[in-house]
């Protein structure tokens, strides 16, 4: 062990190794899909031994569900921070919120998560864990959307329209997987933001 490593507490080194593995797992899923993302591949990408990877994550399922959960939490934290810079009110704020949500579903986190969801459809041991993870992330994303939009879900139609925003963003993310859909997406986001703002203000 070199002098620098010796000065770093073992617990901190372990935490850093775990984080590298989680980030590498998401990157591998996004680039290679489930079939190409083995524990050995992730360990190599993270620059750690396979034994170290299995010490932190005994099974492949542990590694990849942990990775999606970890990175999703990072994204939700970043979303909260970006929300502080949003316009104060009106259509500009609504549109900025919709753009933030769409960013999630057109980025690498969604691409990685999608590979995990597809694998879960065929992997019995993976399905309940991915289902629970997806439900938790979905609830938190909905809660944050409501918070950022200042939506009153006691008003008829508001809750459903906020959820439709999330569902629309997911659909745009799927379209983005096959080609650069940015031009069409911008028009959809602009129009939907107007519709959503009308619902929030009781105009629809």
């Amino acid at each position: 062990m070199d002098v620098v490593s010796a000065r770093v507490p073992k617990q901190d080194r372990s935490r850093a190794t775990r984080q590298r593995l989680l980030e590498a797992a998401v990157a591998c899923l996004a680039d290679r899909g489930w079939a190409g993302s083995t524990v050995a591949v992730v360990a190599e990408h993270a620059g750690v031994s396979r034994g170290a990877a299995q010490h932190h994550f005994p099974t492949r399922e542990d590694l990849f569900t942990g990775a999606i959960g970890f990175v999703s939490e990072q994204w939700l934290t970043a979303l909260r921070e970006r929300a502080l810079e949003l316009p104060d009110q009106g259509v500009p704020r609504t549109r900025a919120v919709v753009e933030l949500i769409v960013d999630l579903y057109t980025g690498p986190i969604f691409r990685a998560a999608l590979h995990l969801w597809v694998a879960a459809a065929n992997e019995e041991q993976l399905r309940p864990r991915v289902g629970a993870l997806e439900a938790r992330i979905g609830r938190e994303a909905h809660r944050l959307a409501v918070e950022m939009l200042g939506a009153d879900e006691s008003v008829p139609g508001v809750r459903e329209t906020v959820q439709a925003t999330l569902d629309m963003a997911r659909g745009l993310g799927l379209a983005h997987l096959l080609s650069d859909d940015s031009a069409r997406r911008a028009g959809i986001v602009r129009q939907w933001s107007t519709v959503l703002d009308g619902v929030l203000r009781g105009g629809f």
Side-chain angles (χ1 to χ4, degrees):
M1 182 181 299
D2 58 38
V3 175
V4 174
S5 297
R7 291 174 180 169
V8 180
K10 183 176 180 181
Q11 185 176 14
D12 290 345
R13 292 200 304 274
S14 178
R15 188 180 300 114
T17 297
R18 180 182 177 85
Q19 182 166 332
R20 287 204 307 275
L21 285 164
L22 292 169
E23 291 172 348
V26 170
C28 287
L29 268 179
D31 293 341
R32 300 167 179 254
W34 174 256
S37 298
T38 63
V39 173
V41 166
V42 172
E44 181 179 2
H45 193 281
V48 304
S49 69
R50 180 170 179 171
Q54 290 180 320
H55 169 74
H56 287 279
F57 302 99
T59 70
R60 189 183 186 199
E61 292 75 24
D62 289 335
L63 174 59
F64 287 105
T65 54
I68 296 299
F70 169 76
V71 178
S72 296
E73 287 298 328
Q74 284 190 321
W75 180 85
L76 291 169
T77 297
L79 187 63
R80 294 184 189 99
E81 293 172 354
R82 290 175 64 184
L84 299 175
E85 303 171 1
L86 293 173
D88 289 339
Q89 58 187 352
V91 175
R93 181 179 179 89
T94 301
R95 182 173 176 181
V97 172
V98 174
E99 288 174 345
L100 282 181
I101 293 169
V102 170
D103 281 349
L104 167 65
Y105 289 103
T106 53
I109 297 174
F110 177 71
R111 182 183 293 270
L114 182 61
H115 284 298
L116 196 62
W117 296 336
V118 171
N122 300 310
E123 301 278 344
E124 187 67 35
Q125 71 275 21
L126 191 59
R127 193 177 308 146
R129 300 177 66 166
V130 173
L133 177 64
E134 157 67 5
R136 180 171 61 82
I137 293 172
R139 286 193 301 270
E140 183 64 11
H142 185 99
R143 189 189 68 77
L144 277 173
V146 168
E147 181 180 314
M148 290 189 296
L149 290 165
D152 181 358
E153 292 196 301
S154 68
V155 176
V158 169
R159 177 176 179 80
E160 291 80 4
T161 308
V162 171
Q163 185 58 49
T165 303
L166 295 167
D167 292 344
M168 177 201 68
R170 190 191 302 263
L172 291 174
L174 287 171
H176 184 68
L177 289 174
L178 299 177
S179 64
D180 182 358
D181 201 42
S182 54
R184 187 177 72 93
R185 185 167 67 246
I188 291 173
V189 167
R190 183 170 56 252
Q191 179 62 27
W192 182 254
S193 298
T194 302
V195 172
L196 174 59
D197 195 71
V199 172
L200 294 175
R201 297 176 184 282
F204 285 79

